[in-house]
Amino acid sequence: MRILHLTPEIAPWSKAGGLGDAAAALVKNLALLGHEIRVGTPLYGGIPGRDKMEIAIPSLQVGVHGDPRAAACRVRQHELGPKAKIWFIEHEYFYGAREVYPPREDAGERAAFFARATLDACLATGWIPDVIHCHDWTVGLVPVLLKTTLKNSPLGQCPTVLTIHNLQHQGLQPQRLLSYLGLPENLWNAQALECLGAVNFLKGGILFADRIITVSPTYAQEILTPEFGFGLDDVVRLRQQDLEGILNGVDTEEWNPQTDPLIAEKFSKTKLQGKAACKSALQAKMKLDPKAKGPLVGVISRLWEQKGLDLAAQALPALLRQRKIQFVLLGSGDPILEQEFRKLAHDFPNDCAVQIGYNHELSHQIEAGADFFLMPSRFEPCGLNQLYSMAYGTVPIVRATGGLADTVSPWQKNQGTGIVFKDADVGGISWALERAVQLYQQSAEYQAVQKRGMAAQFDWVQAAQRHVVCYELVKKQRQPTSSATR
Ligand code: ADP
Ligand code: GLC
């Protein structure tokens, strides 16, 4: 099949969170299954080596309205394999900055532009996909464009799939985006794109895509409810028949303790000794007391409400005061929370270390060196770090929600791969951390949990195959006259 992916992130070129990892791994595995792939994504300022990239289209006039000088871009390309290419949309004004999601007044135009530019690149080169797969809100209007403005173009019959990686981020943008994209004005109503006086990009995708995927089966159920629907649960319920959950996986070329070049010593399920060296190296790097008796608990995360780390910050002092655990955190986000964790490190210098910022190398070293990995998320569409943790023999401590519930089974005598707790409150996290301490004290039992986690398979090949089944389905469903969903 010819498959076009549109994504604002693709690792290692761009990554703000798990979407970068997930998009990269999915595309790689689809290509390995023999499919022909193009990926449309912006060429952000921080992406190295642009001058060495081939130019696919020197100057592409993009079908957006407004200043015609701002409507042209260059398309560079990078070969991922014999039949897979990334099309990098180069537009200095929109994407010259390093950040993927800078807080800009024209965030809507910035998103809409690369989506439309990718479609125009298809039209210009005559590369017409069998399926178009859109990731998250920035490209949510693509299925809308195809069923309206571009209906009579060669792309008009292409079926579309939308993956919701996170329903919280919907892209509420000014009404002017409709005319910027040349979309029909009658879409400006609450049954279509309007939402709270804005154009809701993700709502457009949910209403117009032929099929909707979320990144875990439990999250696919959760988003049907007001608690997890962020105001769109009624819209998601309209599409319930076309909604499914497919779990992300682990890219074992990137996250594998047997081959990882970034960790102190390599290790495996049958040769776990190297993990102790990784823990010592992490303690030394983060200036933690190497003689501490308790387990080392790690976190790598965006510091936003979703992740529940504000609750962890309240639960941790009691355990640190009693020297029951050590704690290491790498992350950034909410400045108040950043400050709270800095203070925690200041108050417990021997047992708590905090690095604010983004650090690829340290993220691998925490995965390898920690004994436990904490994810107390209020909601979690899939979550990748619990999967990486299990692969590295680092026992996850997770709240039972979304992909965390689907991938970590609770520790009980002789079974389970992690510590699982229910309540998103300080009591819930304290309970889970105490339970982790108990488990760690029973070393044979702890090792058994580690090994069961390491044996668990979260395979991208299987996930890619499930996507192919979904692509086949939408291809079949999409008869020329079908307008089933509106
Ligand atoms: P989300 O996408 O919601 O942030 P995921 O668990 O799916 O959550 O993915 C997060 C990804 O981002 C993981 O690969 C994680 O290692 C990485 N990550 C998050 N924060 C940092 C950071 N400060 N430094 C390095 N990597 C980070
Ligand atoms: C989102 C979600 C996260 C998921 C990732 C990749 O950022 O918050 O749970 O793992 O996308 O699908």
Side-chain angles (χ1 to χ4, degrees), residues 342-361:
R342 278 202 188 96
K343 180 168 182 314
L344 201 65
H346 176 266
D347 291 349
F348 300 98
N350 295 325
D351 292 322
C352 176
V354 167
Q355 184 158 320
I356 299 301
Y358 188 90
N359 188 326
H360 178 70
E361 189 174 308

Side-chain angles (χ1 to χ4, degrees), residues 9 15-22 165-166 169 215 248 255 299-304 306-307 329-332 355-364 367 373 375 377 379-388 404:
E9 300 177 34
K15 168 171 164 176
L19 169 56
D21 284 1
H165 293 264
N166 192 327
H169 305 291
V215 283
N248 290 327
W255 295 97
V299 168
I300 305 159
S301 185
R302 296 183 292 119
L303 300 177
W304 294 121
Q306 172 191 348
K307 302 294 177 180
L329 175 138
L330 166 66
S332 65
Q355 184 158 320
I356 299 301
Y358 188 90
N359 188 326
H360 178 70
E361 189 174 308
L362 182 58
S363 73
H364 279 249
E367 285 295 5
F373 193 95
M375 294 179 78
S377 307
F379 72 94
E380 195 62 73
C382 178
L384 294 173
N385 285 106
Q386 83 281 17
L387 306 181
Y388 302 157
L404 299 176

Side-chain angles (χ1 to χ4, degrees), residues 232-246:
L232 284 188
D233 49 292
D234 54 340
V235 181
V236 178
R237 280 196 299 275
L238 288 175
R239 299 301 315 278
Q240 189 167 359
Q241 295 307 318
D242 303 303
L243 171 68
E244 69 175 309
I246 304 180

Side-chain angles (χ1 to χ4, degrees), residues 204-281:
I206 295 170
L207 285 172
F208 283 74
D210 294 300
R211 197 159 177 84
I212 301 158
I213 295 173
T214 66
V215 283
S216 68
T218 293
Y219 192 60
Q221 292 303 311
E222 288 173 339
I223 60 176
L224 297 166
T225 68
E227 190 188 348
F228 294 93
F230 288 99
L232 284 188
D233 49 292
D234 54 340
V235 181
V236 178
R237 280 196 299 275
L238 288 175
R239 299 301 315 278
Q240 189 167 359
Q241 295 307 318
D242 303 303
L243 171 68
E244 69 175 309
I246 304 180
L247 274 177
N248 290 327
V250 175
D251 181 351
T252 47
E253 278 181 20
E254 172 71 25
W255 295 97
N256 181 350
Q258 295 183 58
T259 53
D260 193 332
L262 300 172
I263 63 178
E265 208 168 300
K266 301 188 193 354
F267 58 94
S268 68
K269 185 158 58 87
T270 46
K271 266 182 77 186
L272 258 175
Q273 300 88 314
K275 188 160 170 71
C278 293
K279 177 172 179 179
S280 301

Side-chain angles (χ1 to χ4, degrees), residues 140 256 289 341:
N256 181 350
D289 178 3
F341 278 113

